[in-house]
Amino acid sequence: IIIFDSLPCLVSSEPVILSSLVGQTIFVVAASDTSRSQVESSLRLISACPSVSLVLNKADPHLSEQFGKYGYGYGQRNEK
């Protein structure tokens, strides 16, 4: 596995060029900083890549309850 990190799609041509050369892209979206139209525009720019996965970063879990909650932890629980 080789990982290339690049600048955001809308500020650089680097992601567009890389998208035509790689087999998979992980597209990271900053939840409160990125509009839907910016995401859609960026995805169109990297559409040459055959596989694009999205990761929602910096999401505030308290803003919406419609998707439920998921959590995990390690160690022992202190039950009283």
Side-chain angles (χ1 to χ4, degrees):
I1 296 175
I2 298 173
I3 298 173
F4 295 100
D5 187 15
S6 70
L7 294 169
C9 291
L10 299 179
V11 298
S12 170
S13 62
E14 185 178 84
V16 177
I17 295 165
L18 285 173
S19 72
S20 65
L21 301 173
V22 299
Q24 187 174 17
T25 297
I26 298 174
F27 186 84
V28 181
V29 177
S32 60
D33 300 331
T34 312
S35 70
R36 181 182 183 132
S37 64
Q38 289 172 319
V39 172
E40 291 171 346
S41 295
S42 297
L43 290 174
R44 279 193 295 277
L45 290 172
I46 60 170
S47 64
C49 182
S51 176
V52 178
S53 300
L54 274 80
V55 174
L56 185 62
N57 194 15
K58 301 179 185 176
D60 183 354
H62 299 103
L63 291 179
S64 174
E65 296 291 327
Q66 74 186 63
F67 296 111
K69 294 181 179 180
Y70 174 79
Y72 61 92
Y74 296 99
Q76 294 180 334
R77 229 189 251 190
N78 292 331
E79 296 189 28
K80 294 181 180 182

